[in-house]
Amino acid sequence: MSGATLYAGSVGHVRYTTPHRKFAYRLWMLALDLDDLDGLARRSAVFRHNRPGLIGINDRDHGPRDGSPLRPWVEAALAENGLAAFGARIRFMTIPRILGYAFNPISFYFCADADGRLGAVLHQVKNTFGDQVGYLIPVTTASGPIRQRVAKAMHVSPLFDMRGQYDFTFTRLERRFRMSIRYGAESRRMTAVMALDAMPATDRALLGQLARMPLMTVKVIAAIHWEAIKTLARGARFHREPKDSHPTIVRGDAV
């Protein structure tokens, strides 16, 4: 789908290692043309780009996180990995800033060529320690579910060590967006599932989501910590954050 799109639904997590845990919560995300952030801000009374507002995108929350534009960062990652042709059209999907606060466990850059053919997805992953890594993975299928795999390169949760890989299975950005992220080493350790439905990101729709979940970004990070506390109380092992630096961009593989 083109234009500014709001995707609303739920995300669920299942922990398969002892202690077993399962939880879910509601959320919504925005999918935006990366070249139209300022245009959307001009057309909207609600959305802002790099300015304070009810709902917005601030460049310093993403990419190089220095306030510079996001497109050059994505283009450089694509070029360094032989995927430069897919920097023509970039759709950015993320949880926006809400009432000035942002936290995004995962955001996506859907990268397509001039003909609109999706050729790569850059998965921008953050943890609660302030770290970030980008998993850049080609798309080799013209239709149907997209399947990708990448080795874990950043400490995300203190309740897992650094072993293992991520297997992504997800749809394109259409009327429904579905994603499954399976994390495992020798066996499956955790699965996250996202189920979101699309609607135009009109001011009315944005204000509706704001009214339903005014503290959504705070809720996301609070839920992460609350579930970690409960899992630790049930006997999970705590793994200290590795001190070694991690790469900025990691290349994965289509499956």
Side-chain angles (χ1 to χ4, degrees), residues 141-161:
T141 56
S143 61
I146 298 166
R147 293 183 172 86
Q148 301 175 324
R149 177 174 295 160
V150 68
K152 181 178 181 179
M154 186 183 75
H155 189 72
V156 176
S157 168
L159 306 186
F160 288 111
D161 56 33

Side-chain angles (χ1 to χ4, degrees), residues 7-220:
Y7 283 87
S10 63
V11 61
H13 292 257
V14 179
R15 176 187 169 99
Y16 295 98
T17 56
T18 304
H20 303 288
R21 294 289 300 154
K22 181 178 181 180
F23 68 94
Y25 54 86
R26 293 187 303 150
L27 60 70
W28 59 275
M29 305 179 77
L30 286 177
L32 312 166
D33 292 334
L34 204 56
D35 295 326
D36 191 41
L37 298 181
D38 288 325
L40 177 60
R42 287 192 296 270
R43 298 189 299 271
S44 173
V46 178
F47 177 85
R48 296 291 180 264
H49 179 219
N50 291 332
R51 291 173 53 201
L54 296 176
I55 297 169
I57 300 293
N58 196 307
D59 291 347
R60 72 170 180 265
D61 297 330
H62 308 283
R65 296 191 290 178
D66 58 4
S68 61
L70 302 180
R71 170 171 272 283
W73 179 75
V74 180
E75 288 178 329
L78 292 169
E80 290 169 6
N81 287 275
L83 299 166
F86 300 107
R89 302 179 182 180
I90 304 173
R91 292 279 285 168
F92 179 44
M93 184 175 183
T94 190
I95 300 173
R97 278 193 172 219
I98 298 176
L99 303 178
Y101 181 74
F103 179 70
N104 300 270
I106 189 166
S107 303
F108 313 97
Y109 302 82
F110 290 82
C111 305
D113 62 16
D115 296 323
R117 182 169 64 95
L118 183 66
V121 177
L122 176 55
H123 305 259
Q124 177 185 279
V125 177
K126 298 179 183 293
N127 62 24
T128 58
F129 307 109
D131 301 318
Q132 174 183 291
V133 67
Y135 295 114
L136 178 61
I137 313 179
V139 174
T140 57
T141 56
S143 61
I146 298 166
R147 293 183 172 86
Q148 301 175 324
R149 177 174 295 160
V150 68
K152 181 178 181 179
M154 186 183 75
H155 189 72
V156 176
S157 168
L159 306 186
F160 288 111
D161 56 33
M162 283 293 293
R163 295 180 299 128
Q165 66 186 26
Y166 297 110
D167 287 279
F168 300 96
T169 302
F170 56 100
T171 61
R172 287 160 170 78
L173 289 179
E174 298 174 343
R175 293 185 181 276
R176 293 180 175 179
F177 179 71
R178 302 290 186 264
M179 169 170 273
S180 171
I181 306 173
R182 174 174 170 170
Y183 168 52
E186 296 82 7
S187 61
R188 183 170 54 175
R189 309 177 85 180
M190 184 275 294
T191 297
V193 178
M194 189 180 296
L196 307 176
D197 295 327
M199 67 187 77
T202 62
D203 282 357
R204 181 175 181 177
L206 292 172
L207 287 172
Q209 293 298 328
L210 182 63
R212 293 184 190 95
M213 292 179 276
L215 300 177
M216 182 184 69
T217 48
V218 175
K219 183 185 75 173
V220 169

